[in-house]
Amino acid sequence: MDESWIGRPVRFIPRMRDLVDAHYPGTKLAVTEYNWGAHGHINGALAQADVLGIFGREGLDMAALWTAPAADAPVAHAFRMYRDHDGRGGAFGDTSLAAASADQERLAVHAARREADGALTLMVVNKSGEDLTSPVSLTGAAAGTAEVYRYGPADLTGIVREADQPVTGGGFTATFPADSITHLVLPQGGEAAPS
């Protein structure tokens, strides 16, 4: 939602994709030299984590942050949540799945399936400034446990491996701390990957 006089959804990436499809079919789409600022603050990390989820959801071909953050900056940890959440190369999925919360402005949810092992990966970004407890519904998930990785103001020095989250066939309920990024990894439990 544009906060200026426009006052309505901008649809920036879908609009650009529509223009490319209409006038230059097959051309790749990139957002370059973007910067939401606050690299050294949790707010910058929350914005970056949400933006990366949006880029994936919208099928953006490339994005380039202007400029690279310091390795220990909160914004750098937002990138790690997607590319190396466990310190061993664990990554967010590479096939985007439909995901949304009842209020994406407060609690953004992004999901993807990881092709290498069929795991369902969820990124939950609590931008509200308060702890939020929410049910998470999953389609096709087997009962089991999800690995939980979190970055937030409780420890700005790195991503913390939290206790596993029990998951039923239909999902789970969890509390997402204020101003935090939570990455959940649900291993494939059945013949088909969950969605």
Side-chain angles (χ1 to χ4, degrees):
M1 177 67 73
D2 187 280
E3 296 174 0
S4 74
W5 59 271
I6 296 172
R8 61 183 181 174
V10 176
R11 292 187 66 250
F12 179 71
I13 297 171
R15 187 165 36 112
M16 293 298 107
R17 178 83 58 209
D18 290 346
L19 290 169
V20 165
D21 291 346
H23 302 287
Y24 305 100
T27 301
K28 302 290 186 186
L29 185 61
V31 174
T32 61
E33 298 185 13
Y34 76 91
N35 186 348
W36 267 261
H39 287 198
H41 192 276
I42 188 63
N43 287 349
L46 298 173
Q48 185 61 58
D50 197 21
V51 164
L52 290 172
I54 291 167
F55 287 169
R57 179 191 72 209
E58 297 300 327
L60 191 66
D61 296 300
M62 188 194 95
L65 178 67
W66 180 267
T67 66
D72 61 347
V75 166
H77 292 296
F79 278 96
R80 284 187 195 98
M81 288 294 284
Y82 281 92
R83 302 302 309 152
D84 189 17
H85 60 269
D86 59 4
R88 299 184 317 269
F92 191 68
D94 39 14
T95 300
S96 183
L97 299 172
S101 76
D103 187 351
Q104 283 285 108
E105 293 301 313
R106 291 172 40 91
L107 189 68
V109 179
H110 305 285
R113 185 175 1 89
R114 205 164 49 200
E115 294 298 329
D117 60 3
L120 171 66
T121 58
L122 299 170
M123 197 70 68
V124 181
V125 184
N126 181 349
K127 304 176 280 186
S128 75
E130 60 186 280
D131 294 355
L132 295 176
T133 300
S134 179
V136 178
S137 300
L138 303 172
T139 302
T145 57
E147 297 173 5
V148 179
Y149 300 86
R150 184 166 288 130
Y151 182 71
D155 184 356
L156 291 176
T157 64
I159 297 166
V160 175
R161 173 68 158 94
E162 302 282 349
D164 286 350
Q165 171 65 52
V167 177
T168 68
F172 59 93
T173 297
T175 298
F176 301 97
D179 301 323
S180 67
I181 307 163
T182 303
H183 186 162
L184 297 110
V185 180
L186 179 61
Q188 183 176 344
E191 292 183 18
S195 61

